[in-house]
Amino acid sequence: PTLETKFVAANTLIQVDRPAQMAFITPEVKKKQDELNDLRQKKHFLAPTWEKKKQIREQDKKLSQELAILLRTDGWKNEVAEKLAFWDPYDQSVSAGYFDPQWMFGIEDGFDIVIGNPPYMRVQMIQKTQPEFMSYYRDHYQSAVGSFDLYAVFIERGYSLLSKRATGIYRPP
């Protein structure tokens, strides 16, 4: 088949700002997420024709919009609900400004392996080229202290994406 929905282009260092109650999602939201994951990870992957894939993509779009409404009703910020709902897993030419394994792959307990090409950029260069991310990095990563390198943040994020099985040790969420 195809690997279209098995790879994504995204800013892995930026996570989705989930509301505190996300741990207790409603059954309606969970059901919609499961339907969407089934479409993306199974039905689209195994679709035998381009015509069938187009139908599945239309279903995906409809489900995503329905899920965005449910998320807003459940207390999610409109901006975050829209960001998730309008992410297109089928457009390989667009990079998402965030990375969310649960939303993008239906993975909740981490990956068995993480492969990446870390950037090498000192904090001074980040301040010049990506000043909007500086406070985010400092607030979300233990390694973003002092005169840090983006490489350290990237390695920390990669490690946090691994499952307990892969690391062999317990990682707090």
Side-chain angles (χ1 to χ4, degrees):
T2 177
L3 296 175
E4 288 169 297
T5 59
K6 302 296 182 185
F7 294 96
V8 299
N11 184 342
T12 56
L13 299 179
I14 305 298
Q15 302 171 50
V16 171
D17 183 22
R18 297 174 180 274
Q21 77 271 24
M22 183 54 197
F24 307 101
I25 61 171
T26 64
E28 295 85 12
V29 169
K30 178 68 174 143
K31 182 177 181 232
K32 201 64 72 176
Q33 281 181 317
D34 289 346
E35 288 177 47
L36 204 50
N37 284 333
D38 185 57
L39 270 180
R40 291 177 179 169
Q41 303 305 321
K42 294 179 187 153
K43 291 181 180 171
H44 188 272
F45 186 74
L46 297 172
T49 65
W50 174 243
E51 206 47 51
K52 184 65 178 166
K53 284 182 187 261
K54 282 179 18 183
Q55 290 173 357
I56 291 168
R57 289 177 183 196
E58 287 302 315
Q59 284 178 287
D60 184 306
K61 195 174 190 177
K62 182 178 178 268
L63 281 173
S64 293
Q65 291 170 348
E66 291 171 5
L67 185 55
I69 292 167
L70 287 173
L71 291 174
R72 284 192 296 267
T73 304
D74 207 31
W76 288 63
K77 293 178 187 173
N78 187 46
E79 169 195 339
V80 175
E82 296 289 318
K83 188 186 292 187
L84 292 174
F86 294 108
W87 171 69
D88 184 357
Y90 311 106
D91 188 350
Q92 303 300 309
S93 65
V94 176
S95 179
Y98 64 93
F99 182 69
D100 187 281
Q102 183 183 9
W103 183 261
M104 295 173 164
F105 295 106
I107 292 178
E108 296 181 25
D109 57 350
F111 294 96
D112 291 335
I113 186 170
V114 173
I115 300 171
N117 183 13
Y120 296 90
M121 187 183 297
R122 301 288 309 155
V123 68
Q124 296 82 356
M125 184 59 76
I126 299 167
Q127 289 170 331
K128 288 180 187 174
T129 60
Q130 303 174 336
E132 67 277 13
F133 294 129
M134 283 302 297
S135 62
Y136 182 88
Y137 295 150
R138 291 195 190 279
D139 292 344
H140 290 84
Y141 294 100
Q142 293 176 11
S143 57
V145 294
S147 184
F148 70 95
D149 191 300
L150 202 52
Y151 169 86
V153 173
F154 188 85
I155 297 299
E156 181 181 338
R157 176 66 168 144
Y159 187 77
S160 75
L161 290 170
L162 289 169
S163 68
K164 286 186 251 181
R165 248 182 352 269
T167 61
I169 59 170
Y170 172 74
R171 285 184 301 102

